[in-house]
Amino acid sequence: MAQLYYYNFAEIDPETNMCIGVETTTSEAHGDLPNMVAIPVYDEEYIFKYYINGEWYEDAAGTIPWTSSLI
């Protein structure tokens, strides 16, 4: 029996660096899309957070680091 894996992604608005959506899929190919970032857990708290230079922040200026409480 085949094992089914799930992958979590945050959709990033390229103009603001803000997360505008979170989704789970069985295809890791979403990671090839320029506005999709792999995230370790499905957590809707990513929405309205900012992804700047590979890190998550609460503010657009990137001064308040943020980490999901589910990690």
Side-chain angles (χ1 to χ4, degrees), residues 9 21 34-35 49 56 59 65 68:
F9 292 94
N35 64 323
K49 301 301 186 283
W56 288 98
D59 62 322
S68 169

Side-chain angles (χ1 to χ4, degrees), residues 1-7 25-27:
M1 192 159 123
Q3 181 89 22
L4 189 60
Y5 292 98
Y6 292 92
Y7 303 91
T25 180
T26 56
S27 171

Side-chain angles (χ1 to χ4, degrees), residues 53-65:
N53 296 324
E55 301 291 332
W56 288 98
Y57 295 92
E58 290 187 25
D59 62 322
T63 60
I64 306 170

Side-chain angles (χ1 to χ4, degrees), residues 7-14 17-25 27-43 46 49-56:
Y7 303 91
N8 301 302
F9 292 94
E11 182 179 0
I12 307 299
D13 178 342
N17 294 323
M18 180 189 289
C19 176
I20 55 174
V22 176
E23 61 184 72
T24 297
T25 180
S27 171
E28 64 182 321
H30 271 66
D32 295 336
L33 300 173
N35 64 323
M36 302 299 279
V37 174
I39 53 177
V41 294
Y42 182 89
D43 183 354
Y46 277 93
K49 301 301 186 283
Y50 295 86
Y51 188 71
I52 303 168
N53 296 324
E55 301 291 332
W56 288 98

